[in-house]
Amino acid sequence: MAATEFRRSRSSVLGSKETDKAAARALFDDTDYLADVLESYATNSIPGLVFPDVSVPTGVAQYTQVSAEDMKVEGVGVRSEHSEYPMVRFTPGDLKKAHTSDIGGKFRVSDEAIDAGDTSLIDDGLTLLGTSINDTLNTMMAEALAQVTDEKNGGLSIAANSFHGVVLDGANPTPAEKRPWASLIAAQGLLRKHGLAARADVLLLDWDSADALTVLYDQNDLEKQWGLTIYGCDKLPEGTGYLLDTRNFGKLVTKDGLQVETWRDPSIRATWCQSYIEPVITIQRPRNVVRLVGLGMQG
């Protein structure tokens, strides 16, 4: 699964860690390098990993949200000799609009630190800023999935088996119907019945449940056996997971991607680095995801 690319062009990455004034100043002057570093945090967010990125300079995303019921086809039938095939008709959902948000932050480094060649402060600032962007994108993803799987919105959810306290062998192994795979089969069944040609390819879990699953199985082998890519996300409620088909499921829409700008502030003798991104998550096929609850319950 290809990672999202938030920016359309890159310059060579400045890799030097020389602790001198020139290197510290060069870091602030090379905004492409700063953007590369911060983009890696956005790209490794959950929406960055699973969704294609679409840029809309207007900041308004237009999309159609459909379910299996919307795409029922009428008109397919048997053709008689010398007659035409019937015309196919379907009724997709209405066009929706979503406006991008505006998230970002900034940090500053004093002239004294730059003169001392202390690049660690710049590294720390980039780490904090990048982590905040990553966290915000993950929160947006968690909110979007919670909304489309809410029963009030016609969403799909199941009470799943706990991923904790499962015993695979020994004198008293956990029965097959009480193991994690049984819950995923049930969720797959919901996707087949209510989704739009859905075939799950991603399992998203809160980190505690993801860790519990890793204790039970070798994750690389598990992903091959189950045909799923497994991600952990600390923005999901405890004991919550999502099984979804990411094909045409949604998009991460941004207005001109991730942006970085720097400037020196002579009034405080410091240099600022500011980064922002204007994103929105759109969900085209809300019935192609099932929420799993109860994963954290102890047996």
Side-chain angles (χ1 to χ4, degrees):
M1 196 178 303
T4 296
E5 291 188 4
F6 290 89
R7 297 169 58 246
R8 297 295 182 262
S9 63
R10 300 180 182 210
S11 67
S12 61
V13 174
L14 180 66
S16 173
K17 294 283 286 185
E18 298 172 44
T19 55
D20 57 25
K21 178 180 178 180
R25 176 54 60 190
L27 284 172
F28 272 127
D29 290 341
D30 192 346
T31 55
D32 279 338
Y33 165 70
L34 299 175
D36 282 332
V37 173
L38 293 171
E39 181 189 343
S40 69
Y41 287 93
T43 298
N44 286 291
S45 67
I46 299 301
L49 290 168
V50 304
F51 286 152
D53 173 40
V54 177
S55 180
V56 287
T58 61
V60 179
Q62 299 190 60
Y63 64 103
T64 301
Q65 193 173 81
V66 298
S67 65
E69 289 79 6
D70 295 321
M71 296 298 286
K72 286 183 178 178
V73 175
E74 298 177 0
V76 176
V78 178
R79 186 188 72 88
S80 301
E81 186 178 2
H82 302 302
S83 66
E84 297 180 357
Y85 290 107
M87 184 178 74
V88 173
R89 298 177 298 278
F90 64 94
T91 54
D94 295 332
L95 192 66
K96 295 177 177 288
K97 292 183 179 181
H99 295 266
T100 57
S101 301
D102 190 348
I103 64 174
K106 60 185 178 181
F107 66 91
R108 68 188 181 191
V109 178
S110 68
D111 285 357
E112 290 84 353
I114 293 174
D115 290 343
D118 188 357
T119 58
S120 65
L121 293 175
I122 302 176
D123 292 338
D124 291 343
L126 290 172
T127 299
L128 292 171
L129 185 51
T131 300
S132 296
I133 291 173
N134 179 284
D135 286 346
T136 303
L137 290 171
N138 284 342
T139 298
M140 292 176 65
M141 181 72 165
E143 291 173 348
L145 291 175
Q147 181 181 18
V148 298
T149 56
D150 191 317
E151 292 183 0
K152 295 178 182 178
N153 298 326
L156 304 175
S157 66
I158 64 167
N161 294 326
S162 173
F163 284 16
H164 297 263
V166 176
V167 178
L168 298 180
D169 47 32
N172 295 297
T174 302
E177 66 274 13
K178 296 294 185 181
R179 297 183 182 185
W181 179 235
S183 297
L184 298 185
I185 290 176
Q188 292 272 27
L190 284 180
L191 289 179
R192 285 197 306 272
K193 293 177 182 177
H194 303 287
L196 184 60
R199 185 179 67 252
D201 61 347
V202 164
L203 176 61
L204 178 61
L205 302 169
D206 72 285
W207 267 119
D208 283 346
S209 298
D211 289 342
L213 199 63
T214 302
V215 170
L216 286 173
Y217 308 97
D218 178 273
Q219 184 166 324
N220 291 329
D221 291 342
L222 190 64
E223 290 184 347
K224 292 178 182 177
Q225 292 174 22
W226 289 0
L228 300 170
T229 301
I230 302 171
Y231 296 115
C233 179
D234 61 0
K235 299 305 176 183
L236 297 185
E238 181 181 355
T240 300
Y242 293 93
L243 186 70
L244 62 150
D245 180 348
T246 61
R247 298 169 303 153
N248 299 316
F249 175 70
K251 294 183 177 68
L252 176 59
V253 181
T254 62
K255 182 181 178 182
D256 297 327
L258 185 142
Q259 303 293 319
V260 172
E261 51 197 7
T262 62
W263 69 95
R264 184 173 181 277
D265 187 345
S267 66
I268 58 173
R269 295 191 61 207
T271 299
W272 290 92
C273 175
Q274 175 172 279
S275 181
Y276 61 91
I277 184 171
E278 298 176 73
V280 65
I281 292 174
T282 63
I283 304 296
Q284 278 85 288
R285 296 181 175 182
R287 288 292 190 93
N288 281 15
V289 57
V290 177
R291 175 164 50 181
L292 297 89
V293 296
L295 303 180
M297 297 176 62
Q298 299 293 332

